[in-house]
Amino acid sequence: MSRPARCWGVWLAVLSLSACVSPPPRRPAALVQGERFLTLGVAAYSADDYLNAASLFGRALEYYRGLDDRGHIVESRIDLAETALAVGNFTAADGQLQAARQIADSDGMAQAQQRLSLLQSTLAIRRGQYALAAQQLSPLLSSADTEADIRSSALANRTDIALHRADDPPAPWLERFAAVVRDAHDPLLEARLLRFQAELKERGGDDRAAATLLRRALGRYKSIPNRAGTAATLEQWGALLAAQRQWAAAADRLQRALDVRLWLLDRAATVADLRRMADVNEAAGHVARAAALRRWAGVVAGRGEGGWSGLRGEGARRSGCGPGARRRTRAGRVGGPPGGRPSRPGAVQGRGPPRRALPGPLRPRRDLPHPGHHAGHRRPAVAGARG
């Protein structure tokens, strides 16, 4: 056969084959657009860009409400709840969770119900409602149908609850969580376990071992990197040092945690860190600096002049928030103490007398596990021990 004839035969074979293969079905544009909002929102959330994440999840919610797509409505509300929790807006998180729960229960959405129970337990922990949180976790931990990533997050939450309650021994829960961590090979789970272990060491009086474990946890979080876990570890370490009356070292860890929380725009954690820094400065004898930090805590909490959005125009190094904090947050820079002369209370000097227990406000808020993936958008659960 001549070359042109062979080529013609090959071409006919290709045509006949293609006639037997139909093109892939084109998905409706309406579905593609809604998923685009969710995908972009998850990307923003994963980058700790919570403002854009909330905007995109909100657009997805309105889009799916226009289609009466109840499954994606629940998904969007769950995403909005997670984002609200990440920035410490408990009221907004609660509203989204209740609205999502109503649909999920009505329509029997089992996977969504699991995620909602986990998130509601996280919210209860953040509000100090530990009995309620344990009750919400019980079905997840007792059911064989609970997804693996949800179970690992639930165990982390349950361990955290036990560490808050005197009548709830944490060791059994920590052992179960450790077994999950060994099998998961997840650096975020490993970092969270190290922090739990550090707390038990501190309770047992072994502060040196606790500090070593916290240093390892901090390294894990930074290697990912995970900002919320980094901040939570620094807060825990600052509390450990403050309990030893190592004021300068405690102020250093808390200042570094505050820098991260400001980047995240986590209002609740920022207020807590400012108050912890105020306690450290007051204990070290820096009364004016402590007062300035408490005034700023009131401003960020929305009880001072200008509120959170009114903190533009000044550099953080002049704020009483410590040296070197130069980053302009998306909510504006933190300025000097309201109505007072700028100070730098983060720069506390001296260790002070021997160890003394300090009041509750110095105890850090623990980071809480990220509730998990869904619909192909989310990273694995606890992919974020979010602070």
Side-chain angles (χ1 to χ4, degrees):
M1 182 184 295
S2 65
R3 180 181 180 85
R6 287 198 304 271
C7 292
W8 181 248
V10 171
W11 177 244
L12 287 175
V14 170
L15 286 176
S16 63
L17 179 62
S18 63
C20 299
V21 179
S22 60
R26 299 185 63 179
R27 302 181 68 242
L31 296 180
V32 172
Q33 181 61 41
E35 289 174 2
R36 178 174 175 273
F37 288 142
L38 286 178
T39 301
L40 291 173
V42 168
Y45 184 99
S46 299
D48 301 320
D49 185 358
Y50 300 130
L51 287 178
N52 280 328
S55 175
L56 288 159
F57 292 145
R59 292 176 69 183
L61 174 61
E62 292 306 310
Y63 193 84
Y64 285 124
R65 289 177 70 180
L67 294 172
D68 193 34
D69 186 336
R70 289 167 69 82
H72 281 105
I73 288 171
V74 169
E75 183 177 348
S76 301
R77 287 197 181 280
I78 288 175
D79 285 335
L80 284 166
E82 292 187 45
T83 307
L85 278 171
V87 297
N89 190 339
F90 304 151
T91 301
D94 192 20
Q96 295 293 346
L97 290 173
Q98 289 189 36
R101 171 67 78 177
Q102 184 176 4
I103 299 174
D105 288 349
S106 173
D107 292 13
M109 301 178 184
Q111 183 181 16
Q113 287 171 324
Q114 289 183 13
R115 295 191 62 231
L116 286 164
S117 294
L118 180 62
L119 274 170
Q120 287 175 319
S121 78
T122 298
L123 177 60
I125 291 172
R126 297 281 290 274
R127 287 175 160 173
Q129 300 169 335
Y130 301 115
L132 175 60
Q135 180 182 346
Q136 290 163 334
L137 289 173
S138 182
L140 298 178
L141 294 171
S142 60
S143 173
D145 297 328
T146 302
E147 296 184 4
D149 53 359
I150 299 292
R151 185 181 299 278
S152 61
S153 295
L155 280 170
N157 272 10
R158 190 61 184 82
T159 305
D160 201 12
I161 292 167
L163 286 166
H164 279 95
R165 301 200 299 183
D167 59 346
D168 193 355
W173 295 109
L174 186 58
E175 289 176 8
R176 289 180 62 179
F177 183 57
V180 169
V181 173
R182 283 193 296 270
D183 294 337
H185 305 291
D186 183 330
L188 281 163
L189 288 172
E190 293 166 1
R192 193 65 188 96
L193 175 62
L194 288 168
R195 292 187 51 234
F196 282 142
Q197 292 170 336
E199 181 149 358
L200 286 180
K201 289 293 185 182
E202 181 186 359
R203 290 185 178 194
D206 194 344
D207 292 346
R208 180 174 296 182
T212 298
L213 289 164
L214 289 172
R215 188 177 292 108
R216 289 173 58 194
L218 188 62
R220 297 286 176 89
Y221 283 127
K222 287 184 176 182
S223 69
I224 297 169
N226 181 273
R227 288 187 178 91
T230 296
T233 306
L234 289 167
E235 288 158 357
Q236 186 173 343
W237 201 347
L240 174 66
L241 292 164
Q244 299 169 9
R245 300 178 66 86
Q246 297 187 38
W247 308 126
D252 168 76
R253 303 310 189 275
L254 292 173
Q255 173 64 61
R256 288 156 61 187
L258 177 64
D259 291 341
V260 179
R261 296 300 189 185
L262 285 169
W263 197 100
L264 294 171
L265 299 183
D266 187 333
R267 185 191 299 263
T270 296
V271 171
D273 282 342
L274 287 167
R275 289 172 177 164
R276 291 183 193 114
M277 290 177 68
D279 289 338
V280 167
N281 277 271
E282 184 173 40
H286 301 290
V287 179
R289 294 173 181 171
L293 284 162
R294 288 198 174 95
R295 285 196 295 272
W296 268 121
V299 169
V300 177
R303 294 191 299 272
E305 56 184 72
W308 175 265
S309 62
L311 301 181
R312 296 186 176 93
E314 297 282 350
R317 75 168 62 188
R318 295 165 54 194
S319 71
C321 298
R326 300 173 183 169
R327 181 184 178 275
R328 179 185 293 274
T329 71
R330 286 155 286 173
R333 291 188 181 183
V334 176
R341 183 178 177 182
S343 60
R344 291 171 57 188
V348 180
Q349 301 298 323
R351 289 178 54 126
R355 175 182 180 124
R356 176 177 65 85
L358 286 174
L362 281 172
R363 301 309 307 167
R365 185 193 70 181
R366 296 174 178 83
D367 62 328
L368 295 168
H370 183 44
H373 67 90
H374 57 98
H377 297 294
R378 186 73 70 203
R379 293 179 297 172
V382 198
R386 301 254 169 204

